[in-house]
Amino acid sequence: MNESDTNDTIVAVSSAAPPGVRAVVRLSGGLAGGIAESVFFPMDGFPGSRAALEGEIRLAHNLRIPATLYLMPAPATYTREDVVEFHLPGCGPYLEALIGEALRRGARLAAPGEFTRRAYLNGRIDLNQAEAVLDIITAAHSSDARQALMQIGGFAAEFIASLGRQLLETAALLELSIDFSDQDIEIAPSGDMKIRLRELLDTVEEILRRSMSHVPRLGQAVVLFGPVNAGKSTLFNALAGKEHAIVSHVPGTTRDYLEAAIYLEGIRFRLIDTAGFKDAEDFIETQAISRSHAYTQSASVRMLVVDCNDSPGSFARIASDISASPDIVVLNKIDTLSDESGHLAPVFDEARRCFGDCSVVAVSAKRATGLEALEECLVRIVMRSGENQSEFV
């Protein structure tokens, strides 16, 4: 698409694919109004301004289609160009005939996303809002839709602009402090500046983490991480319902990450199985473990998988090795406990003591028991996260 294409008048069906009760055909560009007047016959004539008109579309072969025409003159439109919309029965042949007539009168078919592209190029929306349009179209859950709507409303841009102003103000205070450092004038106490900078850095890091993890088109990223031989790959296969990962008693079977998509309560999750934590023996293991840490940092949900049979004190060692706090701790291999009810309680207590404020779920990935509770926990965490997104965007 070259630059001159933005001067064309474009046309497309802007509703769900037919058949349907109603459909929308939209035109944007300088010829939009003239094309509308040539094919649409209103009951009460054409006004000279914005209007919604009842009437009929008249096409070749005496085809007459009852419709509503919406006239929206520039610049107060989505694309900031003249826009017209025909609302008519969602019949495939009707839509094809109307679009064909628009093409014969000088319009061309819009490329995918071109109405939004024009809105961006004409300054109607910013790039963040343009991306949000696709997010809301592809949203798999109401939490995704809420996030996209906030982006369209400009909440992200406003928050980032506010953060930018705080950074500039902090930089100005630092520069003033340097300029007057030889005159015994304290512009801003160093302790206060350190606290302020730390808070700003924490906010930026949290925004980056959330922006990386919240990708509705791909799904909520759930990273399975933890020590080797905890059963991560077995759990990954059990949740995915298919043997994606090779399972072996040999430590460090998983070298690279694996992905699988699942849907729970209408939410799309991307399960990511990563290499277990251990002392790397070669370059490949070093890279695999490094990637595990990176994926864990940016995940929507961090799922730490541990063996419930691990010796006392092992959870504390694991907690010191991991690079990010878990959202869920999965106590795996409960099928190997001789007395499940008697032995699990202290394991739960130890997990909560070592890993802090997170959910703890006991499962047997090998026997696929406890998975329902784990899935419910995943949904609950993502729903809660979606409700709190407005804190940052």
Side-chain angles (χ1 to χ4, degrees):
M1 186 182 297
N2 56 52
E3 189 172 341
S4 63
D5 289 336
T6 59
N7 297 320
D8 297 342
T9 297
I10 54 176
V11 61
V13 177
S14 297
S15 54
V21 177
R22 299 290 284 177
V24 177
V25 173
R26 178 183 297 159
L27 292 96
S28 179
L31 299 178
I35 293 173
E37 290 187 16
S38 67
V39 299
F40 186 81
F41 292 81
M43 294 180 179
D44 301 316
F46 278 98
S49 60
R50 179 180 298 266
L53 309 173
E54 296 294 335
E56 64 180 16
I57 300 166
R58 296 179 186 176
L59 303 174
H61 308 295
N62 202 31
L63 179 59
R64 299 190 175 198
I65 308 168
T68 303
L69 174 67
Y70 291 87
L71 293 173
M72 294 167 275
T77 66
Y78 181 60
T79 61
R80 286 194 169 166
E81 302 173 335
D82 288 339
V83 172
V84 299
E85 285 186 357
F86 295 93
H87 291 229
L88 64 155
C91 168
Y94 284 179
L95 302 179
E96 290 177 8
L98 177 56
I99 289 177
E101 186 63 27
L103 297 179
R104 282 189 289 274
R105 294 180 180 274
R108 67 169 175 82
L109 284 175
E114 190 170 0
F115 289 102
T116 296
R117 178 175 181 267
R118 291 192 174 192
Y120 168 67
L121 292 175
N122 292 331
R124 179 66 175 80
I125 57 176
D126 59 30
L127 186 58
N128 189 63
Q129 291 169 307
E131 291 174 347
V133 173
L134 180 58
D135 287 346
I136 198 167
I137 291 171
T138 58
H141 191 266
S142 59
S143 61
D144 295 336
R146 285 196 300 271
Q147 168 72 10
L149 282 171
M150 287 191 296
Q151 284 184 238
I152 290 173
F155 287 99
E158 291 174 9
F159 184 83
I160 292 171
S162 173
L163 183 61
R165 289 191 293 271
Q166 293 179 60
L167 288 169
L168 285 174
E169 182 182 332
T170 302
L173 288 172
L174 287 170
E175 290 180 8
L176 283 171
S177 298
I178 294 171
D179 290 342
F180 288 92
S181 60
D182 60 344
Q183 300 182 33
D184 294 328
I185 299 175
E186 189 174 45
I187 302 298
S190 59
D192 292 348
M193 292 304 296
K194 287 180 180 179
I195 293 172
R196 183 170 185 160
L197 288 169
R198 182 70 256 174
E199 290 175 347
L200 286 170
L201 182 59
D202 289 344
T203 301
V204 170
E205 289 176 346
E206 182 65 13
I207 292 171
L208 288 173
R209 189 183 79 83
R210 291 194 179 221
S211 65
M212 290 174 69
S213 66
H214 189 86
V215 187
R217 295 187 296 277
L218 300 179
Q220 303 286 345
V222 180
V223 169
L224 285 70
F225 72 112
V228 295
N229 270 8
K232 295 184 299 299
S233 295
T234 304
L235 180 60
F236 175 84
N237 289 339
L239 288 170
K242 185 178 180 181
E243 292 192 4
H244 291 273
I246 298 173
V247 177
S248 169
H249 67 281
V250 178
T253 305
T254 302
R255 292 293 190 98
D256 204 352
Y257 73 93
L258 296 173
E259 283 196 32
I262 62 172
Y263 287 85
L264 303 173
E265 301 292 334
I267 305 173
R268 190 175 194 268
F269 290 89
R270 290 165 52 225
L271 301 178
I272 303 174
D273 183 23
T274 62
F277 300 161
K278 57 177 290 194
D279 293 331
E281 297 177 0
D282 53 39
F283 174 77
I284 295 176
E285 282 192 350
T286 300
Q287 292 299 306
I289 294 171
S290 176
R291 289 187 180 186
S292 295
H293 286 295
Y295 277 107
T296 303
Q297 290 286 354
S298 62
S300 302
V301 182
R302 304 178 183 122
M303 185 185 296
L304 175 63
V305 184
V306 297
D307 187 338
C308 67
N309 295 284
D310 282 345
S311 59
S314 62
F315 287 178
R317 289 193 298 273
I318 294 170
S320 66
D321 289 340
I322 59 179
S323 58
S325 300
D327 299 296
I328 305 174
V329 173
V330 179
L331 304 175
N332 193 21
K333 304 184 182 182
I334 59 172
D335 56 297
T336 61
L337 293 176
S338 58
D339 179 7
E340 181 178 316
S341 60
H343 287 80
L344 268 181
V347 180
F348 266 86
D349 293 340
E350 180 71 4
R352 291 193 176 97
R353 186 181 67 81
C354 293
F355 300 114
D357 184 20
C358 61
S359 300
V360 182
V361 182
V363 306
S364 168
K366 183 177 180 180
R367 295 185 180 178
T369 56
L371 297 186
E372 185 176 348
L374 179 56
E375 291 170 348
E376 290 174 356
C377 187
L378 276 173
V379 172
R380 186 167 60 250
I381 288 173
V382 170
M383 290 291 289
R384 185 172 65 240
S385 175
E387 290 170 357
N388 295 331
Q389 283 287 335
S390 58
E391 181 181 350
F392 294 100
V393 293

